Amino acid sequence: MTAKKVHSGLSKWYKTQLLLKNETIKAFIPDTRRFNRRNLEQMMHGYGMIYIKPERGTYGMGVIRAERRERQGYTYQYEETVRRFATFDAFHHSLATRIGKRSYLLQKGIHLLKHHGRRFDIRVMVQLSPKGVWEATGIIGRLGHPRKIVTNYHSGGKPTAVEHLLSTHLSAQQLVQLKGEMNRLGTRIAQQLKKTYPHHRQFGVDVGLDRSLKPWIIEVNMNPDPYIFNQLKDKSMYRRVMRYRRLGLTQ
């Protein structure tokens, strides 16, 4: 693996472009563009809500949620602070000042499902098995902090069993089907990225479910934290994830 590819792999834009080459995966990727005034205006008017995120970064740091509402102007939230603007010009100027010269992306906003009023998304851990087959070894929900826009553990999110979070949204049979769909999506993503990263043995796929229960790929992590699975009462997933991880480190 070249140094250039390792460096590019940290870029959300680069990973998105790799995934867009796969027609099956493409259907699950929200519209993603580079931050500039034209793209910002088009996406705010087209979607009403978007996420603005650093091209490189971890733990949800630097992520901004922006909204446009008729007769109420524009708002954006960064961490726990919400700012409101009457005009697009003032809104854009404030964002551009906050971002500075850093490279940021715009992503169509997914209205995530909620549990007791708190947004959540789902992490699918995909690892290469001892037989060289990609497997979804773990799946866990991440329940966002009530006052924050990201669900990351390091930003106050709470790792929670998927079954608990989805129990009020769908039946047991539907849950099994949806988990299977997310696991298959995760393995397809790993197979696609493996073409560029042949030595990589695990990926963490962050999936957001919208109100119609469609899964959307929020982000793919190259070095996913395995220890969030230890937060669950049932340790079987954690043990499997760690077993596969140790096998990968010794090979």
Side-chain angles (χ1 to χ4, degrees):
M1 197 172 2
T2 67
K4 181 180 179 181
K5 284 188 175 178
V6 172
H7 183 64
S8 299
L10 302 175
S11 159
K12 296 178 177 71
W13 179 256
Y14 183 72
K15 285 181 285 186
T16 299
Q17 299 311 302
L18 292 176
L19 295 177
L20 285 170
K21 294 178 180 179
N22 185 301
E23 287 299 320
T24 304
I25 297 171
K26 187 176 181 179
F28 299 94
I29 300 176
D31 184 6
T32 304
R33 309 180 200 177
R34 290 195 178 279
F35 178 89
N36 60 43
R37 182 189 171 96
R38 181 169 176 267
N39 286 341
L40 178 66
E41 188 166 20
Q42 285 183 349
M43 292 181 74
M44 287 300 294
H45 285 255
Y47 301 125
M49 190 271 284
I50 65 171
Y51 280 86
I52 305 166
K53 52 180 66 176
E55 183 173 343
R56 289 177 172 81
T58 55
Y59 306 142
M61 296 174 66
V63 176
I64 300 166
R65 176 185 166 105
E67 294 187 75
R68 172 182 176 265
R69 296 177 181 173
E70 294 296 332
R71 303 188 185 90
Q72 293 183 29
Y74 302 83
T75 67
Y76 74 75
Q77 180 177 345
Y78 176 71
E79 294 184 346
E80 296 185 34
T81 302
V82 179
R83 299 199 61 188
R84 294 176 171 81
F85 306 88
T87 66
F88 176 79
D89 284 344
F91 167 73
H92 170 257
H93 181 265
S94 179
L95 281 172
T97 301
R98 176 176 291 280
I99 289 169
K101 294 183 179 180
R102 290 170 293 173
S103 179
Y104 262 66
L105 303 178
L106 307 170
Q107 190 175 73
K108 174 187 175 181
I110 306 303
H111 291 279
L112 296 175
L113 289 185
K114 293 183 178 182
H115 180 75
H116 296 317
R118 295 165 63 177
R119 298 182 190 95
F120 68 87
D121 62 15
I122 292 164
R123 162 68 59 85
V124 179
M125 178 70 91
V126 187
Q127 295 172 294
L128 203 60
S129 77
K131 296 181 180 179
V133 178
W134 286 104
E135 290 183 21
T137 52
I139 184 167
I140 190 170
R142 305 187 307 173
L143 186 61
H145 185 284
R147 295 189 302 277
K148 293 187 178 181
I149 58 172
V150 295
T151 60
N152 303 70
Y153 180 59
H154 297 83
S155 299
K158 182 182 179 183
T160 308
V162 169
E163 293 78 8
H164 179 69
L165 295 176
L166 291 173
S167 61
T168 56
H169 295 282
L170 69 180
S171 69
Q173 183 179 358
Q174 289 173 320
L175 175 60
V176 170
Q177 292 174 343
L178 182 58
K179 283 171 64 178
E181 183 179 358
M182 289 188 287
N183 286 342
R184 286 189 294 274
L185 179 59
T187 55
R188 284 194 201 104
I189 288 169
Q191 289 162 356
Q192 178 68 16
L193 292 179
K194 179 76 170 176
K195 298 173 185 177
T196 303
Y197 303 101
H199 303 295
H200 230 74
R201 301 185 65 90
Q202 60 180 20
F203 298 96
V205 180
D206 294 338
V207 177
L209 297 171
D210 66 19
R211 292 161 184 167
S212 66
L213 297 173
K214 176 178 175 174
W216 293 91
I217 302 163
I218 297 174
E219 192 174 328
V220 179
N221 292 271
M222 304 296 286
N223 188 27
D225 178 8
Y227 299 102
I228 59 170
F229 293 95
N230 198 30
Q231 302 289 321
L232 299 176
K233 288 182 180 179
D234 181 351
K235 304 298 181 184
S236 57
M237 265 193 291
Y238 174 66
R239 287 193 292 267
R240 182 168 63 220
V241 166
M242 293 305 290
R243 186 171 73 249
Y244 277 44
R245 184 172 183 266
R246 283 191 294 270
L247 284 169
L249 291 173
T250 58
Q251 292 185 5

